[in-house]
Amino acid sequence: MTWSDYDAVLFDLDGVVTPTAEVHMRAWGEMFNAYLESYDGPGDSSPYTDDDYFAHVDGKPRYDGVRDFLVSRGLPAPQDLVVELGDRKNDAFNQVLERDGVAAYPGSVLLLDHLRDLGLPLAVVSSSVNAPAVLAAAGLADRFRTVVSGAVATELGLPGKPAPDTFLHAAAELGATAATSVVLEDAVSGVRAGAAGAFVLVVGVDRGVGAAALTEAGATMVVQDLAELVPTEGAA
């Protein structure tokens, strides 16, 4: 890739820059399975699995993920329950983050270093309200000119992924457009958002969902690690 051909780079956070997707997956699993074990009513209350995460939760705003999972199982999904379960999951995530901290993927740091040397403006676009705390914990808060978190999206009334609005807003904040910006995403919903926004390049990062699923969702190319996107010496 010739990064100097682009005006801005927009990163998803969890699973792209930091391995916090794994923390999110554990927090979702603990919360949903505790609920399912106590549930006694109509619908499928069999244990929640990683397949459920990738199919219904990954990359979406938290309450949307709760609702979509419950609906997929034929379980009641009143708004008060959606909010309660979503808040339980957020509490579990914050406890793990505070206890264990987080370190960025080494390959992601290599790419961030390269883009910093080029002077390209960078943004994080994350469905998580915890994005600023994760960046601070990873020591990367100063790398990004803007952070469009789930909290920012709610404040501005922007629909979450797979709608493209948060990415489009981030590009505008960096003085760029979809036609000149790159999106890096590991979630199907995020890749769909980049494709829906007609971004010139949507890079799928395969951390477990599968290259075929990311390509089908609209990824222009798929890598397993962002180090693959760091040019060899002498290239930009």
Side-chain angles (χ1 to χ4, degrees):
M1 288 183 61
T2 304
W3 285 103
S4 55
D5 289 345
Y6 307 102
D7 291 342
V9 186
L10 315 177
F11 291 77
D12 179 42
L13 179 59
D14 302 323
V16 173
V17 177
T18 58
T20 37
E22 299 167 10
V23 181
H24 282 291
M25 288 179 72
R26 289 197 299 271
W28 279 113
E30 291 175 10
M31 181 278 291
F32 273 134
N33 280 322
Y35 174 70
L36 292 169
E37 287 173 7
S38 66
Y39 177 76
D40 183 18
D44 178 4
S45 60
S46 61
Y48 172 91
T49 69
D50 287 350
D51 287 341
D52 290 314
Y53 173 81
F54 289 123
H56 306 297
V57 174
D58 189 20
K60 297 178 182 178
R62 187 177 353 123
Y63 297 143
D64 290 352
V66 173
R67 184 179 300 105
D68 289 352
F69 169 72
L70 293 176
V71 169
S72 78
R73 292 293 192 88
L75 303 172
Q79 183 62 18
D80 58 345
L81 176 63
V82 167
V83 171
E84 177 186 350
L85 295 180
D87 289 349
R88 284 190 205 171
K89 181 267 169 183
N90 196 54
D91 290 343
F93 174 84
N94 284 322
Q95 289 168 6
V96 174
L97 183 65
E98 182 177 350
R99 183 187 70 222
D100 298 338
V102 65
Y105 292 107
S108 300
V109 175
L110 284 176
L111 180 59
L112 289 172
D113 288 346
H114 177 72
L115 298 178
R116 179 182 58 190
D117 292 344
L118 292 176
L120 277 174
L122 311 179
V124 159
V125 182
S126 173
S127 297
S128 174
V129 299
N130 301 304
V134 171
L135 285 170
L140 296 174
D142 63 339
R143 298 296 191 102
F144 300 94
R145 188 174 299 179
T146 190
V147 176
V148 182
S149 68
V152 171
T154 298
E155 180 182 345
L156 297 178
L158 300 173
K161 306 168 187 177
D165 301 61
T166 50
F167 280 122
L168 293 170
H169 176 75
E173 286 286 293
L174 298 181
T177 66
T180 61
S181 302
V182 179
V183 166
L184 298 103
E185 262 286 357
D186 71 314
V188 167
S189 60
V191 169
R192 286 177 177 159
F199 282 84
V200 66
L201 185 63
V202 181
V203 180
V205 185
D206 182 12
R207 305 288 194 189
V209 69
L214 294 170
T215 300
E216 184 179 352
T220 314
M221 61 184 296
V222 176
V223 299
Q224 291 187 316
D225 191 277
L226 297 195
E228 298 171 45
L229 302 174
V230 179
T232 57
E233 187 174 351

